[in-house]
Amino acid sequence: MSPARSRIRAALTSGRRVTGTFVKLPSCDVVEICAEAGFDFVVVDLEHSTLTESDAIALVRHADLCGLAALVRIPAVDGPQICRLLENGAAGFQLSMLHDPAQTRALLQATRFAPAGTRSISMANRTARFSLREGGLRAFLRDEAESPPLLVGQIETPVHGPWEPLIGDLDVVFVGVTDLAVSLGAEPGGERLRAAVTGIAAAAAEHGIAFGGWTPSPDTAAAHGLAAARYLVTGSDLQILATGLKAAASQGGNG
């Protein structure tokens, strides 16, 4: 069990904001730079990137060695894949396009050992210290039960049913502002979108769940309705790189 996972959970429980960024590049240097720069976590992106599962495993392993929590964004629940990523140090999962309580139940089941879930058990992996973990299986199961993988659900379409079955088992309710704007036919940053985000934040607060979302930069969080977000994902490695390269090129003039 990753100490970084426990730190993120403790911060969210205490009400402190944690900040991360999406990682889309298959370079361990990226997660190491994120750790050095002071991010609390990264989200390895298996939805909107060209990363393979092998790339994601390498990134979460390196992040864990750097003491940085690495969640993985997934487009759908794949139990065996989730198991492999957890066995290599993933701190949790961020499920895209959450709209059905069945998705939440599937995510919970895939990340919990029996009797709470259906996650398969093996001690021949790095999180169990390759069967050399002190206390063996009993201690491993106890630690995982006390601090289970973090579960983040991305709300990106209007929610028409009751909130509790959809978000009650999550650690974070995350609003995907870009997809939500498109699904609503709303202007990014406009009043209609802010009202929808406010409604999602209120549902999270009502059920005692941390609220989060994505913003291009920390300075724009309030404009996106994310002033109260405790789990803030800002930009991505590609976006930050592109912005920096554009600024460097413009400073160079015309040569």
Side-chain angles (χ1 to χ4, degrees), residues 70-74 81-83 85-86 90-95 107 111 149-153 231:
L71 290 89
V72 182
R73 177 159 73 170
I74 52 175
Q81 181 185 67
I82 284 173
C83 189
L85 288 162
L86 287 173
F93 296 90
Q94 189 159 318
L95 179 61
L107 181 61
T111 57
L150 292 157
L151 304 183
V152 182
Y231 176 96

Side-chain angles (χ1 to χ4, degrees), residues 238-253:
L238 280 175
Q239 180 187 5
I240 294 167
L241 177 62
T243 301
L245 288 174
K246 182 177 181 179
S250 64
Q251 291 169 7

Side-chain angles (χ1 to χ4, degrees), residues 2-181:
S2 167
R5 180 202 299 175
S6 295
R7 288 197 298 273
I8 294 294
R9 174 171 278 109
L12 291 171
T13 301
S14 71
R16 182 175 72 83
R17 172 180 283 181
V18 292
T19 304
T21 192
F22 283 119
V23 171
K24 302 171 183 284
L25 295 170
S27 170
C28 289
D29 286 343
V30 171
V31 294
E32 194 158 343
I33 291 169
C34 287
E36 292 289 342
F39 279 114
D40 299 294
F41 66 94
V42 293
V43 182
V44 176
D45 193 352
L46 281 180
E47 182 185 27
H48 293 296
S49 77
T50 59
L51 295 176
T52 65
E53 183 184 312
S54 294
D55 294 330
I57 287 173
L59 291 167
V60 300
R61 286 174 68 103
H62 196 72
D64 192 40
L65 290 171
C66 293
L68 181 67
L71 290 89
V72 182
R73 177 159 73 170
I74 52 175
V77 175
D78 179 332
Q81 181 185 67
I82 284 173
C83 189
R84 291 188 293 270
L85 288 162
L86 287 173
E87 289 177 350
N88 282 281
F93 296 90
Q94 189 159 318
L95 179 61
S96 296
M97 289 293 180
L98 179 63
H99 63 274
D100 188 330
Q103 295 171 280
T104 308
R105 291 193 297 271
L107 181 61
L108 181 71
Q109 290 278 301
T111 57
R112 287 355 183 215
F113 292 121
T118 58
R119 177 181 168 191
S120 181
I121 181 71
S122 170
M123 297 295 284
N125 58 74
R126 69 181 302 272
T127 58
R129 300 183 184 173
F130 305 101
S131 301
L132 301 177
R133 184 187 182 93
E134 185 177 350
L137 176 61
R138 186 183 299 273
F140 180 60
L141 291 175
R142 181 198 64 226
D143 291 347
E144 285 290 304
E146 290 177 353
S147 184
L150 292 157
L151 304 183
V152 182
Q154 290 192 193
I155 306 299
E156 301 175 88
T157 57
V159 174
H160 300 294
W163 282 98
E164 199 282 331
L166 185 66
I167 67 174
D169 290 316
L170 300 176
D171 295 289
V172 180
V173 176
F174 182 97
V175 57
V177 292
T178 304
D179 276 298
L180 184 59

